Amino acid sequence: DIYYIVLDMYARSDVLYERFQYDNSEFLSFLVDRGFYVAHESTSNYPYTTHSLASSLNYMYLNEVAEQVGSIRGHSLSASMIANSRLFGHLENQGYETVAFATGYWFTELTDSDVYLEPTRSWWYPSEFQAGLIELTPLSRVPGIRGTEDDVARERVLYALEHLADVAQIDSPKLVFAHINAPHDPFVFGSHGGPVASRPGYTYDEWVTAYREQVAFVTWKAQQTIEEILRRSPEPPIIILQSDHGACYGPYEEHLADRMAILNAYHLPNQDYEDLYQTITPVNTFRVVLNQYFGTDYDLLDDRNYYSDTETPYSFIDVTDKVSPGR
């Protein structure tokens, strides 16, 4: 079994400590104790979720694609590469069943997977039109009749983290994809998991505090999830625990080193970590896995970092020297 668990915007340990005054060394020690390899100097190849996951799931850089599409706007191309990735295709051809969890992001909602899992809500979340109608009636004063966007976000995160280990019960070999929108905002969890209300317009200090508290809860919850997956798996699984990009407050181009510093940890059942190294980036993740377990012969690519703005998302600038000096 292969679990690809993506904790959105989970910063690398040194950035967590220096920028957010949060020490996750206990969590990393837990991972090592459970047989993980932790790449302590890892960076993302791109600063956006769409580009980052399109790259990792296809184990290629997007520059070659960019040359063909030119100055196209939007992220539909990257989303298509996620939905039709080489990794899913390769493993399906090997007899794998694909399992995906609801993400809340249209570009990572892999609803065509063999098994697609999403929470069944115990309350109603109205459309914008329905919400407007309710405000004109006495129902608007009835507590608990409808959920909020925060409720939706909170439930989706909890559902994935609490049900990932259930997938171990599926008999066939499986590839499990869980893109979990946390500790990314909206900030809806306190440090112990209690609900908090998100809001726009955080000051820097407020944003740092809200992010740190959500990281604390997600870290604790992720540890429980990993423990359960390992305990309930009939055979030791492959687990990739990774963030798609790091965290920063303000324009990405001004904070690239923070924005692209990521959590990156690998659990390989054979404990053969010879092909892994501290600065490995996600573009090489599944090249290593497929070479070791499926007999492929992929060369590892140079680990590079690329930036593009939202107006021209496929016009890439190599920022490796800014993100990873000396690489």
Side-chain angles (χ1 to χ4, degrees):
D1 293 346
I2 303 173
Y3 292 80
Y4 187 29
I5 303 171
V6 179
L7 299 180
D8 202 307
M9 207 169 79
Y10 194 109
R12 200 174 59 202
S13 58
D14 56 333
V15 175
L16 283 177
Y17 188 78
E18 294 168 9
R19 301 283 188 269
F20 301 101
Q21 298 79 54
Y22 181 76
D23 183 358
N24 76 335
S25 58
E26 193 172 306
F27 176 55
L28 300 185
S29 295
F30 159 82
L31 293 175
V32 172
D33 289 343
R34 296 304 184 275
F36 279 76
Y37 177 93
V38 179
H40 291 282
E41 300 174 42
S42 187
T43 53
S44 61
N45 301 106
Y46 301 92
Y48 306 111
T49 301
T50 47
H51 289 356
S52 181
L53 292 181
S55 175
S56 63
L57 288 167
N58 290 280
Y59 25 100
M60 62 180 288
Y61 286 107
L62 307 185
N63 303 47
E64 186 177 319
V65 177
E67 292 174 3
Q68 300 175 27
V69 301
S71 59
I72 187 173
R73 294 188 178 189
H75 289 269
S76 58
L77 177 61
S78 293
S80 178
M81 292 179 68
I82 293 170
N84 304 283
S85 70
R86 293 168 70 190
L87 180 68
F88 272 65
H90 184 95
L91 292 178
E92 285 171 340
N93 288 337
Q94 298 289 323
Y96 270 64
E97 195 164 357
T98 56
V99 181
F101 283 81
T103 71
Y105 285 132
W106 66 271
F107 44 82
T108 55
E109 289 285 15
L110 304 186
T111 55
D112 290 336
S113 300
D114 296 318
V115 179
Y116 175 74
L117 299 169
E118 60 181 335
T120 301
R121 298 192 184 111
S122 57
W123 35 260
W124 174 49
Y125 181 62
S127 68
E128 185 176 353
F129 174 73
Q130 291 167 335
L133 287 179
I134 290 174
E135 290 301 325
L136 302 177
T137 75
L139 286 175
S140 63
R141 295 185 290 277
V142 178
I145 190 171
R146 54 183 169 147
T148 66
E149 291 185 14
D150 286 354
D151 292 326
V152 174
R154 196 177 295 114
E155 184 175 54
R156 193 181 291 119
V157 169
L158 289 175
Y159 181 83
L161 289 171
E162 291 174 354
H163 290 278
L164 265 163
D166 295 344
V167 179
Q169 298 172 358
I170 298 175
D171 288 337
S172 61
K174 49 207 167 284
L175 168 63
V176 185
F177 175 70
H179 170 214
I180 297 169
N181 186 31
H184 196 292
D185 52 284
F187 300 124
V188 295
F189 293 105
S191 59
H192 298 289
V196 298
S198 67
R199 58 183 179 77
Y202 291 93
T203 66
Y204 174 75
D205 288 339
E206 291 169 342
W207 194 91
V208 166
T209 299
Y211 176 78
R212 180 175 61 239
E213 291 196 356
Q214 191 140 292
V215 165
F217 174 66
V218 169
T219 300
W220 174 74
K221 201 69 179 172
Q223 181 169 321
Q224 287 188 322
T225 299
I226 295 296
E227 190 82 270
E228 278 297 292
I229 292 173
L230 292 174
R231 185 182 69 81
R232 297 171 63 178
S233 295
E235 297 181 14
I238 295 170
I239 303 174
I240 310 299
L241 181 65
Q242 201 169 76
S243 45
D244 49 351
H245 56 74
C248 69
Y249 180 89
Y252 301 163
E253 64 271 21
E254 296 177 13
H255 306 278
L256 284 174
D258 288 351
R259 177 70 182 181
M260 301 174 81
I262 61 169
L263 169 71
N264 195 1
Y266 302 75
H267 180 272
L268 303 182
N270 62 11
Q271 301 288 289
D272 181 0
Y273 296 126
E274 183 177 346
D275 293 328
L276 298 178
Y277 47 96
Q278 288 297 295
T279 56
I280 190 171
T281 60
V283 73
N284 281 316
T285 291
F286 290 106
R287 288 176 174 257
V288 171
V289 170
L290 294 176
N291 285 351
Q292 283 203 21
Y293 290 91
F294 296 91
T296 59
D297 190 26
Y298 290 112
D299 292 329
L300 297 192
L301 304 177
D302 289 340
D303 293 295
R304 312 296 297 178
N305 312 105
Y306 293 95
Y307 173 75
S308 59
D309 61 37
T310 54
E311 289 297 309
T312 54
Y314 298 96
S315 297
F316 295 114
I317 302 169
D318 191 324
V319 294
T320 306
D321 289 344
K322 294 181 179 180
V323 173
S324 308
R327 178 174 291 172

